[in-house]
Amino acid sequence: MKIPELFPLLFGAPWRWLRLVGAVATAAWVVVGCGPTGGATGDTIPVGEFASLTGSEAAFGRSSHNGTVLAIDEINAAGGVLGKKLVLVTEDNQSKEGESQTAVKKLISRDKVVAVLGEVASGRSIEAAQTCQKYRVPQVSPSSTNPKVTEQGDCIFRVCFIDPFQGTVMAKFAAGTLKARKVGLLVDVGAPYSVGLATFFKEGFVAGGGTIVAEQKFTKDDKDFKAQLTAIKAAGPDAIFVPAYYGQVTLIVMQARELGITVPFIGGDGWEAPELLKGPGAKEALEGCYFSTHFSPDQATPKSRDFVAKYAARHGAKPDAMAALGYDSAQLLADAMRRAGSADPAKVRDALAATRDFDGVTGRMTLDASRNARKSAVILAIQKGEFVYKETVNP
Ligand code: PHE
């Protein structure tokens, strides 16, 4: 490779550094004698992470990664786990389909990680879970909420609630607080997260006596939603539920306002990124809208306050749900290794499965028989261009 070609590689994309640093650390670790049988046989414990550090959901991946890194550094500063330091090896899947499986295969076969942390988006967690399950390497997803993630097998865990709960939370909010009787749905049919959350919302809303008056579809690369929005407008809904990721939500709501749709839009955790409110007119369009998520920096538990301060000192920003869950995923993994008295993947798996009342920055959680966290959700309102804490909903 010529020097000019090397330049953009090294200096153009900061996230590439991570891979490089990870690879160098791993190479050093292999050289110091862990070798192909690997695992935690040296004086470090390799932990894998796959994340969308670039591409369409980069805001998710970076945030989650920042939280994970903060936890790993804290654990190491306090002496590590079982007398060993954790080494985080991170792979970027570029928010692309197919890349998560490749990333996780590398982490398992090349880096000999004892466990894998990731991802935010359910579709990519499901992809990776198939590989983690095959090799029986425990995976802890920080924030993928679709039920299918942990259904991939007994090695797959998460530190977040699942969408049957999240869907019900928003269905009750729409009927109770917004007094909506008729709701329109706009669903990303290519994302398991979107399809699942729409279904669970619908079940909850209909069970509570409400009616779904319109149901429209889109896919990941769509940028023009006017046809779908016009059809929804004609059905006269009191609110519109859009269980999608932030990038498209902003476009959808702005186009809706142009079409004269004034009712509130509501959504789930996929809305949560500062990018949701960026760009001319975005804040105004989303004023008075609501979404459910996992965490708010305004929640007043001592543990979450302490985390908000540490995160701000390290990353110069307020943490969001992905950051808090990324942090909890790494802390839970370390806790499971301590309880197992071992970093052996099989023993760590058993300890993860036995997690009861773990005290995370996102709240107390117990992993149920399906390896999903039982815990509360929060609802945030968009007011004057900010995410404002509204309420906590217990399961
Ligand atoms: N829950 C979403 C999914 O499963 C991802 C997400 C989590 C987005 C938290 C934002 C905040 O795909």
Side-chain angles (χ1 to χ4, degrees):
M1 187 186 290
K2 288 185 215 127
I3 298 292
E5 286 169 15
L6 199 67
F7 249 79
L9 180 73
L10 291 181
F11 302 108
W15 296 108
R16 294 222 170 92
W17 275 101
L18 277 174
R19 296 184 62 162
L20 220 64
V21 172
V24 170
T26 310
W29 164 77
V30 169
V31 171
V32 293
C34 298
T37 50
T41 50
D43 52 9
T44 56
I45 300 173
V47 171
E49 182 203 22
F50 70 108
S52 54
L53 298 176
T54 56
S56 54
E57 277 97 47
F60 284 167
R62 290 182 193 187
S63 205
S64 187
H65 175 72
N66 285 346
T68 304
V69 166
L70 180 64
I72 299 277
D73 286 355
E74 255 178 57
I75 293 161
N76 286 339
V81 177
L82 311 169
K84 298 180 184 191
K85 295 264 149 88
L86 301 181
V87 176
L88 184 71
V89 190
T90 304
E91 280 289 321
D92 176 14
N93 58 26
Q94 304 161 328
S95 309
K96 284 188 190 147
E97 226 173 282
E99 290 294 324
S100 296
Q101 210 150 60
T102 315
V104 162
K105 270 190 192 142
K106 267 193 216 158
L107 292 169
I108 296 173
S109 58
R110 179 196 67 191
D111 304 312
K112 315 288 178 212
V113 299
V114 300
V116 169
L117 302 174
E119 223 245 41
V120 177
S122 286
R124 295 193 285 270
S125 282
I126 293 170
E127 221 189 86
Q130 290 161 354
T131 303
C132 288
Q133 183 62 31
K134 186 164 148 207
Y135 292 97
R136 299 203 61 82
V137 169
Q139 175 185 345
V140 184
S141 163
S143 43
S144 291
T145 47
N146 186 280
K148 292 200 184 89
V149 174
T150 45
E151 283 167 13
Q152 300 307 313
D154 65 352
C155 295
I156 318 301
F157 301 84
R158 67 179 119 211
V159 291
C160 56
F161 52 67
I162 56 172
D163 287 332
F165 171 60
Q166 180 169 212
T168 314
V169 164
M170 281 321 273
K172 283 193 181 146
F173 179 80
T177 307
L178 299 181
K179 308 273 176 257
R181 309 295 305 140
K182 298 182 284 175
V183 165
L185 291 180
L186 187 51
V187 185
D188 175 353
V189 285
Y193 162 71
S194 190
V195 175
L197 191 49
T199 308
F200 302 122
F201 174 90
K202 193 162 144 182
E203 282 171 13
F205 192 66
V206 171
T211 312
I212 302 296
V213 289
E215 196 169 341
Q216 292 286 318
K217 302 170 184 163
F218 66 95
T219 54
K220 192 176 165 90
D221 296 321
D222 288 352
K223 298 215 161 36
D224 184 341
F225 306 92
K226 296 228 168 91
Q228 294 95 317
L229 288 165
T230 302
I232 294 175
K233 185 184 180 190
D238 305 317
I240 302 170
F241 184 58
V242 186
Y245 296 134
Y246 62 93
Q248 284 172 306
V249 173
T250 311
L251 287 175
I252 289 168
V253 182
M254 302 231 310
Q255 290 175 19
R257 301 308 182 216
E258 278 167 35
L259 291 171
I261 299 174
T262 55
V263 298
F265 276 76
I266 52 179
D269 53 355
W271 281 32
E272 198 185 342
E275 282 75 359
L276 183 80
L277 301 174
K278 284 206 179 122
K283 288 189 171 103
E284 293 74 15
L286 280 141
E287 180 70 18
C289 294
Y290 299 88
F291 62 96
S292 52
T293 188
H294 310 258
F295 171 84
S296 160
D298 305 325
Q299 259 167 324
T301 71
K303 189 133 191 167
S304 75
R305 262 198 238 124
D306 181 48
F307 167 69
V308 172
K310 283 188 295 200
Y311 188 92
R314 169 78 192 251
H315 297 295
K318 270 193 188 180
D320 53 16
M322 283 80 61
L325 289 165
Y327 181 91
D328 278 351
S329 69
Q331 289 288 5
L332 175 64
L333 178 63
D335 181 67
M337 286 177 189
R338 287 187 201 109
R339 283 187 277 121
S342 164
D344 173 57
K347 295 196 175 118
V348 174
R349 192 226 77 90
D350 291 349
L352 281 168
T355 301
R356 300 288 174 273
D357 204 24
F358 174 78
D359 193 14
V361 296
T362 56
R364 302 196 84 91
M365 65 188 91
T366 284
L367 297 197
D368 65 16
S370 308
R371 301 165 302 285
N372 301 318
R374 236 186 108 73
K375 60 197 288 206
S376 53
V378 300
I379 295 177
L380 303 185
I382 298 162
Q383 279 169 9
K384 302 201 180 90
E386 306 251 354
F387 296 155
V388 178
Y389 172 73
K390 186 104 177 107
E391 62 191 61
T392 298
V393 186
N394 296 316

